């Protein structure tokens, strides 16, 4: 049998445990899995692109469990009253192939993306960073802001979006957060000046240059989240050239990240090497670092593990018959015309008798 977690289940889980706790737990699960990077069978996600968006499948597995996520990215969806990103995911037993968990991943992806950003910043950003610029104030922005405030000690968030309504929405949501100063800025340049960390999370599928070389300052960490498919960038190529660049899974980032602008021999470091102490890199106060984050399947594997473990602890979700369970596993047809039909007739008879 398969456990189903709906958006309502995940919302109840977050309400019960609290968003700061769930974010912290997510970082812990991510770090644990990234540190055993070599144990996973990995590949770049499979993407189907159209003029208006992309639909992707993101698989990964270790010796025990297989997972995948279905996810889309359609920036114009909001004009139709739909989310830009929608997702669900599956965990399965490698030994049998049986799907053990089917879960929503739209809410969860926002949380795991913010947690991944914090995981990277813990390793790459200047210690005791206090000010973050947040460029792009859409659906992902609250999660990024709160994760950096709760888990990394960010005290001031500077907001800018070309859509002032998005900024007003974000500012309203953050206004009740104790210990967090929120500044609404009139330009990217104003928001970025003097920031310790710059997070870009824009949605338009275009080769944009949100951050330009003149905005860079010694010691700055750039968390580039929005450039996540071919033809979609946020950072000027010279920004990458002047920084030490870190990625999740290099073969995927070279196709989809801001890294797509750079020559094939441009040097990058995969984040797992830093987390496991294998990179040999040590930050200096003047280093400019870039985390070219496109999202990777291992992060969804970690998120699904967390959901399964915490939902089980809290008694959330329901058991569904996603896969047939015939009396004779060699007789699927017999189950269709016999077992399943008989069970249906039995339930109908019971209803009539009642």
């Amino acid at each position: 049998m398969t456990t189903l977690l709906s958006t309502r289940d995940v919302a109840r889980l977050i309400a019960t445990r609290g968003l700061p706790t769930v974010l912290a737990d997510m970082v812990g699960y991510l770090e644990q899995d990234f540190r055993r990077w070599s144990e996973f069978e990995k590949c770049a996600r499979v993407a189907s692109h159209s003029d208006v968006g992309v639909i992707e499948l993101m698989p990964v597995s270790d010796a025990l469990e297989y997972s995948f996520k279905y996810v889309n990215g359609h920036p114009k969806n909001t004009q139709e009253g739909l989310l830009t990103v929608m997702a669900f995911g599956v965990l399965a037993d490698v030994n049998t192939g049986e799907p053990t968990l089917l879960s929503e991943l739209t809410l969860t992806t926002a949380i795991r993306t913010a947690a991944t950003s914090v995981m990277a910043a813990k390793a790459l950003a200047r210690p005791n960073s206090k000010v973050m610029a947040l460029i792009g104030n859409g659906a992902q922005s609250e999660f990024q802001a709160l994760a950096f405030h709760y888990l990394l000690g960010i005290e001031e968030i500077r907001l800018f979006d070309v859509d002032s309504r998005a900024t007003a929405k974000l500012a309203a949501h953050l206004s009740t957060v104790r210990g967090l100063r929120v500044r609404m800025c009139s330009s990217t340049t104003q928001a970025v000046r003097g920031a310790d960390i710059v997070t870009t999370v824009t949605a338009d599928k275009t080769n944009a240059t949100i951050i330009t070389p003149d905005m860079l300052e010694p010691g700055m960490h750039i968390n580039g989240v929005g450039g996540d498919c071919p033809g979609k960038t946020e950072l000027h190529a010279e920004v990458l050239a002047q920084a030490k660049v870190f990625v999740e899974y290099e073969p995927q980032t070279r196709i989809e990240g801001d890294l797509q602008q750079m020559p094939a021999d441009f040097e990058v470091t995969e984040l797992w090497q830093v987390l496991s102490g294998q990179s040999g890199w040590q930050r200096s106060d003047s280093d400019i670092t870039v985390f070219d984050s496109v999202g990777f399947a291992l992060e969804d594997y970690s998120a699904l593990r967390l959901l399964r473990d915490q939902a089980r602890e809290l008694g959330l979700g329901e058991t569904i018959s996603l896969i047939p369970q015939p009396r004779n596993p060699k007789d699927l047809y017999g189950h269709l015309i016999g077992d399943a039909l008989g069970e249906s007739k039995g339930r109908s008879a019971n209803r009539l008798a009642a």
Side-chain angles (χ1 to χ4, degrees):
M1 301 293 279
T2 306
T3 299
L4 171 66
L5 295 179
S6 67
T7 55
R8 188 172 186 177
D9 292 320
V10 172
R12 287 179 62 193
L13 186 156
I14 295 166
T16 301
R17 295 189 59 81
L19 182 57
T21 299
V22 173
L23 283 164
D25 290 344
M26 187 74 77
V27 171
Y29 272 61
L30 287 164
E31 289 177 337
Q32 183 182 77
D33 289 333
F34 266 73
R35 287 183 177 129
R36 59 187 191 97
W37 181 265
S38 62
E39 297 178 23
F40 290 91
E41 182 179 343
K42 302 172 286 290
C43 68
R45 56 188 159 208
V46 180
S48 178
H49 294 275
S50 68
D51 292 339
V52 295
V54 63
I55 296 175
E56 300 169 332
L57 288 177
M58 301 172 63
V60 73
S61 65
D62 64 6
L64 297 177
E65 293 184 293
Y66 171 95
S67 77
F68 77 83
K69 179 170 78 172
Y70 166 98
V71 62
N72 77 303
H74 287 71
K76 295 182 180 180
N77 267 9
T78 53
Q79 299 173 19
E80 306 293 331
L82 297 171
L83 291 169
T84 298
V85 175
M86 297 174 279
F88 67 88
V90 169
L91 266 182
D93 185 333
V94 164
N95 290 322
T96 65
E98 182 182 16
T100 56
L101 178 70
L102 171 62
S103 178
E104 88 79 37
L105 282 185
T106 306
L107 291 169
T108 306
T109 292
I111 292 170
R112 76 84 159 129
T113 301
T116 302
S117 295
V118 167
M119 175 177 67
K122 283 173 61 180
L124 306 176
R126 182 164 47 202
N128 300 316
S129 294
K130 298 300 180 186
V131 178
M132 182 169 83
L134 185 49
I135 313 302
N137 301 158
Q140 172 66 212
S141 57
E142 284 87 355
F143 298 91
Q144 292 282 336
L146 293 172
F148 275 87
H149 172 61
Y150 290 137
L151 305 183
L152 212 66
I154 290 296
E155 297 175 352
E156 178 177 310
I157 302 253
R158 301 173 182 173
L159 314 180
F160 177 72
D161 193 302
V162 293
D163 182 355
S164 59
R165 294 169 300 179
T167 301
K169 175 268 303 182
L170 175 58
H173 284 158
L174 298 180
S175 63
T176 59
V177 179
R178 185 175 301 174
L180 180 63
R181 298 188 303 274
V182 178
R183 287 181 53 193
M184 298 171 65
C185 299
S186 60
S187 68
T188 299
T189 300
Q190 182 187 22
V192 168
R193 187 178 298 119
D196 299 303
I197 297 171
V198 176
T199 292
T200 56
V201 60
T202 60
D204 287 341
K205 189 178 180 181
T206 183
N207 287 125
T209 51
I210 307 300
I211 304 299
T212 52
D214 56 292
M215 299 179 190
L216 298 178
E217 298 178 10
M220 181 179 283
H221 173 63
I222 298 171
N223 179 39
V225 180
D228 59 358
C229 69
K232 184 182 179 188
T233 60
E234 296 179 310
L235 311 180
H236 191 285
E238 188 59 27
V239 170
L240 300 176
Q242 294 187 30
K244 179 70 175 175
V245 179
F246 301 84
V247 301
E248 290 140 311
Y249 182 56
E250 183 178 346
Q252 180 173 294
T253 309
R254 287 202 178 273
I255 298 169
E256 300 180 347
D258 281 278
L259 189 58
Q260 67 191 268
Q261 307 171 78
M262 309 306 285
D265 60 352
F266 181 77
E267 184 179 349
V268 300
T269 301
E270 289 185 332
L271 184 60
W272 72 269
Q273 296 174 293
V274 180
L275 296 174
S276 62
Q278 297 184 37
S279 70
W281 173 78
Q282 291 185 327
R283 168 180 260 287
S284 72
D285 289 342
S286 60
D287 279 347
I288 297 170
T289 54
V290 169
F291 178 45
D292 189 1
S293 174
V294 299
F296 183 56
L298 182 57
E299 295 152 19
D300 303 305
Y301 170 91
S302 302
L304 287 164
R305 284 203 309 113
L306 180 143
L307 289 178
R308 178 198 58 202
D309 294 349
Q310 297 196 350
R312 185 180 294 161
E313 180 183 324
L314 296 172
L316 296 172
E318 63 176 298
T319 301
I320 59 172
S321 299
L322 186 63
I323 305 299
Q325 292 186 312
R327 291 186 176 92
N328 180 357
K330 292 185 178 182
D331 189 8
L332 185 59
Y333 182 74
H335 174 69
L336 174 64
I337 64 172
D339 294 353
L341 186 59
E343 291 170 6
S344 177
K345 287 181 177 178
R347 286 193 296 270
S348 297
N350 289 337
R351 285 197 295 270
L352 288 172

